[in-house]
CSV table of all heavy atoms in Angstrom, one decimal:
chain,number,residue,atom,x,y,z
A,243,THR,N,147.0,70.6,71.9
A,243,THR,CA,148.0,70.6,73.0
A,243,THR,C,148.7,69.2,73.1
A,243,THR,O,149.9,69.1,73.2
A,243,THR,CB,147.3,70.8,74.4
A,243,THR,OG1,146.7,72.1,74.3
A,243,THR,CG2,148.2,70.8,75.5
A,244,VAL,N,147.9,68.1,72.9
A,244,VAL,CA,148.5,66.8,72.9
A,244,VAL,C,149.4,66.6,71.8
A,244,VAL,O,150.6,66.2,72.0
A,244,VAL,CB,147.3,65.7,72.9
A,244,VAL,CG1,147.9,64.3,72.7
A,244,VAL,CG2,146.5,65.8,74.2
A,245,CYS,N,149.0,66.9,70.5
A,245,CYS,CA,149.9,66.6,69.4
A,245,CYS,C,151.1,67.5,69.4
A,245,CYS,O,152.2,67.1,68.9
A,245,CYS,CB,149.1,66.8,68.1
A,245,CYS,SG,147.8,65.5,67.9
A,246,ASN,N,150.9,68.7,69.9
A,246,ASN,CA,152.0,69.7,69.9
A,246,ASN,C,153.2,69.1,70.6
A,246,ASN,O,154.3,69.4,70.2
A,246,ASN,CB,151.5,70.9,70.7
A,246,ASN,CG,152.5,72.0,71.0
A,246,ASN,OD1,153.2,71.9,72.0
A,246,ASN,ND2,152.7,73.0,70.2
A,247,MET,N,153.0,68.4,71.7
A,247,MET,CA,154.1,67.9,72.5
A,247,MET,C,154.6,66.5,72.1
A,247,MET,O,155.4,65.9,72.8
A,247,MET,CB,153.7,68.0,74.0
A,247,MET,CG,153.7,69.5,74.5
A,247,MET,SD,153.6,69.7,76.2
A,247,MET,CE,155.2,69.3,76.8
A,248,ALA,N,154.0,66.0,71.0
A,248,ALA,CA,154.5,64.6,70.6
A,248,ALA,C,156.0,64.7,70.4
A,248,ALA,O,156.8,63.7,70.7
A,248,ALA,CB,153.8,64.2,69.3
A,249,ILE,N,156.5,65.8,69.9
A,249,ILE,CA,158.0,65.9,69.7
A,249,ILE,C,158.8,65.8,71.0
A,249,ILE,O,160.0,65.4,70.9
A,249,ILE,CB,158.3,67.3,68.9
A,249,ILE,CG1,159.8,67.3,68.5
A,249,ILE,CG2,158.0,68.5,69.8
A,249,ILE,CD1,160.1,66.3,67.4
A,250,GLU,N,158.2,66.1,72.1
A,250,GLU,CA,158.9,66.1,73.4
A,250,GLU,C,159.1,64.6,73.8
A,250,GLU,O,159.9,64.4,74.7
A,250,GLU,CB,158.2,66.9,74.5
A,250,GLU,CG,157.8,68.3,74.1
A,250,GLU,CD,158.9,69.1,73.5
A,250,GLU,OE1,160.1,68.8,73.7
A,250,GLU,OE2,158.6,70.1,72.7
A,251,MET,N,158.5,63.7,73.1
A,251,MET,CA,158.9,62.3,73.4
A,251,MET,C,159.5,61.7,72.1
A,251,MET,O,159.7,60.5,71.9
A,251,MET,CB,157.7,61.4,73.8
A,251,MET,CG,156.5,61.5,72.8
A,251,MET,SD,155.1,60.5,73.5
A,251,MET,CE,154.0,60.6,72.0
A,252,GLY,N,160.0,62.6,71.3
A,252,GLY,CA,160.8,62.3,70.1
A,252,GLY,C,160.0,62.0,68.8
A,252,GLY,O,160.6,61.7,67.8
A,253,ALA,N,158.7,62.1,68.9
A,253,ALA,CA,157.9,61.7,67.7
A,253,ALA,C,157.7,63.0,66.8
A,253,ALA,O,157.2,64.0,67.3
A,253,ALA,CB,156.5,61.2,68.1
A,254,ARG,N,158.1,62.9,65.6
A,254,ARG,CA,158.0,64.1,64.7
A,254,ARG,C,156.5,64.3,64.3
A,254,ARG,O,156.1,65.4,64.0
A,254,ARG,CB,158.7,63.8,63.4
A,254,ARG,CG,160.0,64.4,63.3
A,254,ARG,CD,160.6,64.0,61.9
A,254,ARG,NE,160.6,65.1,61.0
A,254,ARG,CZ,161.0,65.0,59.8
A,254,ARG,NH1,161.4,63.9,59.3
A,254,ARG,NH2,161.0,66.1,59.0
A,255,VAL,N,155.7,63.2,64.3
A,255,VAL,CA,154.3,63.3,63.9
A,255,VAL,C,153.4,62.8,65.0
A,255,VAL,O,153.6,61.7,65.6
A,255,VAL,CB,154.1,62.4,62.6
A,255,VAL,CG1,152.6,62.3,62.4
A,255,VAL,CG2,154.8,63.0,61.4
A,256,GLY,N,152.4,63.6,65.4
A,256,GLY,CA,151.4,63.2,66.3
A,256,GLY,C,150.1,63.4,65.5
A,256,GLY,O,150.0,64.4,64.8
A,257,MET,N,149.1,62.5,65.7
A,257,MET,CA,147.9,62.7,64.9
A,257,MET,C,146.7,62.1,65.7
A,257,MET,O,146.8,61.2,66.5
A,257,MET,CB,148.0,62.2,63.5
A,257,MET,CG,148.4,60.8,63.4
A,257,MET,SD,149.2,60.4,61.8
A,257,MET,CE,148.2,61.1,60.6
A,258,ILE,N,145.5,62.7,65.3
A,258,ILE,CA,144.2,62.3,65.9
A,258,ILE,C,143.2,62.2,64.8
A,258,ILE,O,143.2,63.1,63.9
A,258,ILE,CB,143.8,63.2,67.0
A,258,ILE,CG1,144.7,63.2,68.2
A,258,ILE,CG2,142.3,62.9,67.5
A,258,ILE,CD1,144.5,64.3,69.2
A,259,ALA,N,142.4,61.1,64.7
A,259,ALA,CA,141.5,61.0,63.6
A,259,ALA,C,140.4,62.1,63.7
A,259,ALA,O,140.0,62.4,64.7
A,259,ALA,CB,140.8,59.6,63.7
A,260,PRO,N,140.1,62.7,62.5
A,260,PRO,CA,139.1,63.7,62.5
A,260,PRO,C,137.7,63.2,62.8
A,260,PRO,O,137.4,62.1,62.4
A,260,PRO,CB,139.2,64.3,61.1
A,260,PRO,CG,139.8,63.2,60.3
A,260,PRO,CD,140.7,62.4,61.2
A,261,ASP,N,136.9,64.0,63.5
A,261,ASP,CA,135.5,63.6,63.7
A,261,ASP,C,134.7,64.9,63.8
A,261,ASP,O,135.1,66.0,63.3
A,261,ASP,CB,135.4,62.9,65.1
A,261,ASP,CG,136.0,63.7,66.3
A,261,ASP,OD1,136.2,64.9,66.1
A,261,ASP,OD2,136.2,63.1,67.3
A,262,GLU,N,133.5,64.8,64.3
A,262,GLU,CA,132.6,66.0,64.3
A,262,GLU,C,133.2,67.2,65.0
A,262,GLU,O,133.0,68.3,64.6
A,262,GLU,CB,131.2,65.6,64.9
A,262,GLU,CG,130.4,64.7,64.1
A,262,GLU,CD,130.1,65.2,62.6
A,262,GLU,OE1,130.0,66.4,62.4
A,262,GLU,OE2,130.1,64.4,61.7
A,263,THR,N,133.9,66.9,66.1
A,263,THR,CA,134.6,68.0,66.8
A,263,THR,C,135.6,68.8,65.8
A,263,THR,O,135.6,70.0,65.8
A,263,THR,CB,135.4,67.5,68.0
A,263,THR,OG1,134.6,66.7,68.8
A,263,THR,CG2,136.1,68.6,68.8
A,264,THR,N,136.3,68.0,65.0
A,264,THR,CA,137.2,68.6,64.0
A,264,THR,C,136.4,69.4,63.0
A,264,THR,O,136.8,70.6,62.7
A,264,THR,CB,137.9,67.4,63.3
A,264,THR,OG1,138.3,66.4,64.2
A,264,THR,CG2,139.2,67.9,62.6
A,265,PHE,N,135.4,68.8,62.4
A,265,PHE,CA,134.7,69.5,61.3
A,265,PHE,C,134.0,70.8,61.8
A,265,PHE,O,134.0,71.8,61.1
A,265,PHE,CB,133.6,68.5,60.7
A,265,PHE,CG,134.2,67.2,60.3
A,265,PHE,CD1,133.5,66.0,60.5
A,265,PHE,CD2,135.5,67.1,59.8
A,265,PHE,CE1,134.0,64.7,60.2
A,265,PHE,CE2,136.1,65.8,59.5
A,265,PHE,CZ,135.3,64.7,59.7
A,266,GLU,N,133.5,70.7,63.0
A,266,GLU,CA,132.8,71.8,63.6
A,266,GLU,C,133.8,73.0,63.8
A,266,GLU,O,133.5,74.1,63.5
A,266,GLU,CB,132.3,71.4,65.0
A,266,GLU,CG,131.4,72.4,65.7
A,266,GLU,CD,130.2,72.8,64.9
A,266,GLU,OE1,129.6,72.0,64.2
A,266,GLU,OE2,129.8,74.0,64.9
A,267,TYR,N,135.1,72.7,64.2
A,267,TYR,CA,136.1,73.7,64.4
A,267,TYR,C,136.5,74.3,63.0
A,267,TYR,O,136.6,75.5,62.9
A,267,TYR,CB,137.4,73.1,65.0
A,267,TYR,CG,138.5,74.1,65.2
A,267,TYR,CD1,138.8,74.7,66.4
A,267,TYR,CD2,139.3,74.4,64.1
A,267,TYR,CE1,139.8,75.6,66.5
A,267,TYR,CE2,140.4,75.3,64.2
A,267,TYR,CZ,140.6,75.9,65.4
A,267,TYR,OH,141.6,76.9,65.6
A,268,LEU,N,136.5,73.5,62.0
A,268,LEU,CA,137.1,74.0,60.7
A,268,LEU,C,136.0,74.8,59.9
A,268,LEU,O,136.4,75.7,59.1
A,268,LEU,CB,137.5,72.8,59.8
A,268,LEU,CG,138.7,72.0,60.4
A,268,LEU,CD1,139.0,70.8,59.5
A,268,LEU,CD2,140.0,72.9,60.3
A,269,LYS,N,134.8,74.4,60.1
A,269,LYS,CA,133.7,75.0,59.3
A,269,LYS,C,133.7,76.5,59.3
A,269,LYS,O,133.7,77.1,60.4
A,269,LYS,CB,132.4,74.5,59.7
A,269,LYS,CG,131.3,74.7,58.7
A,269,LYS,CD,130.0,74.0,59.0
A,269,LYS,CE,129.0,74.2,57.9
A,269,LYS,NZ,127.8,73.4,58.0
A,270,GLY,N,133.8,77.2,58.1
A,270,GLY,CA,133.7,78.6,58.1
A,270,GLY,C,135.0,79.4,58.3
A,270,GLY,O,135.0,80.6,58.2
A,271,ARG,N,136.1,78.7,58.6
A,271,ARG,CA,137.4,79.4,58.7
A,271,ARG,C,137.7,80.0,57.4
A,271,ARG,O,137.5,79.5,56.4
A,271,ARG,CB,138.5,78.4,59.1
A,271,ARG,CG,138.2,77.6,60.4
A,271,ARG,CD,138.8,78.4,61.6
A,271,ARG,NE,138.2,77.9,62.9
A,271,ARG,CZ,138.3,78.4,64.0
A,271,ARG,NH1,139.1,79.5,64.1
A,271,ARG,NH2,137.7,78.0,65.1
A,272,PRO,N,138.4,81.2,57.5
A,272,PRO,CA,138.6,82.0,56.3
A,272,PRO,C,139.2,81.3,55.1
A,272,PRO,O,138.8,81.4,54.0
A,272,PRO,CB,139.4,83.2,56.8
A,272,PRO,CG,139.2,83.3,58.2
A,272,PRO,CD,138.8,81.9,58.7
A,273,GLN,N,140.3,80.5,55.3
A,273,GLN,CA,141.0,79.9,54.2
A,273,GLN,C,140.5,78.4,54.0
A,273,GLN,O,141.1,77.7,53.2
A,273,GLN,CB,142.5,79.9,54.5
A,273,GLN,CG,143.1,81.2,54.7
A,273,GLN,CD,142.9,82.1,53.5
A,273,GLN,OE1,143.1,81.7,52.4
A,273,GLN,NE2,142.6,83.4,53.8
A,274,MET,N,139.4,78.0,54.7
A,274,MET,CA,138.9,76.6,54.5
A,274,MET,C,138.0,76.6,53.3
A,274,MET,O,137.5,77.6,52.9
A,274,MET,CB,138.2,76.3,55.8
A,274,MET,CG,137.7,74.9,56.1
A,274,MET,SD,138.8,73.6,55.6
A,274,MET,CE,140.3,73.9,56.5
A,275,LEU,N,137.8,75.3,52.8
A,275,LEU,CA,136.8,75.1,51.8
A,275,LEU,C,135.5,75.6,52.4
A,275,LEU,O,135.2,75.5,53.6
A,275,LEU,CB,136.7,73.6,51.5
A,275,LEU,CG,138.0,73.0,50.9
A,275,LEU,CD1,137.9,71.5,51.0
A,275,LEU,CD2,138.3,73.4,49.5
A,276,GLN,N,134.6,76.1,51.5
A,276,GLN,CA,133.3,76.6,52.0
A,276,GLN,C,132.2,75.9,51.3
A,276,GLN,O,132.3,75.3,50.3
A,276,GLN,CB,133.2,78.1,51.6
A,276,GLN,CG,134.4,79.0,52.1
A,276,GLN,CD,134.4,79.2,53.6
A,276,GLN,OE1,133.4,79.1,54.3
A,276,GLN,NE2,135.6,79.5,54.1
A,277,GLY,N,131.0,75.9,52.0
A,277,GLY,CA,129.7,75.5,51.4
A,277,GLY,C,129.8,74.0,51.0
A,277,GLY,O,130.3,73.1,51.8
A,278,ASP,N,129.3,73.7,49.8
A,278,ASP,CA,129.2,72.3,49.3
A,278,ASP,C,130.6,71.6,49.3
A,278,ASP,O,130.7,70.5,49.6
A,278,ASP,CB,128.6,72.2,47.9
A,278,ASP,CG,127.1,72.5,47.9
A,278,ASP,OD1,126.5,72.6,49.0
A,278,ASP,OD2,126.5,72.8,46.8
A,279,GLU,N,131.6,72.4,48.9
A,279,GLU,CA,132.9,71.9,48.8
A,279,GLU,C,133.4,71.4,50.1
A,279,GLU,O,134.0,70.3,50.2
A,279,GLU,CB,133.9,73.0,48.3
A,279,GLU,CG,134.0,73.0,46.8
A,279,GLU,CD,135.2,73.9,46.4
A,279,GLU,OE1,135.6,74.9,47.1
A,279,GLU,OE2,135.8,73.6,45.3
Side-chain angles (χ1 to χ4, degrees):
Chain A
T243 300
V244 169
C245 290
N246 172 275
M247 290 190 73
I249 190 67
E250 310 309 337
M251 53 185 189
R254 259 179 106 184
V255 169
M257 56 206 312
I258 294 172
D261 60 12
E262 289 306 323
T263 304
T264 320
F265 309 142
E266 188 58 35
Y267 178 100
L268 293 173
K269 196 169 185 172
R271 300 271 162 190
Q273 302 299 319
M274 188 42 57
L275 300 165
Q276 306 288 340
D278 287 349
E279 271 191 329

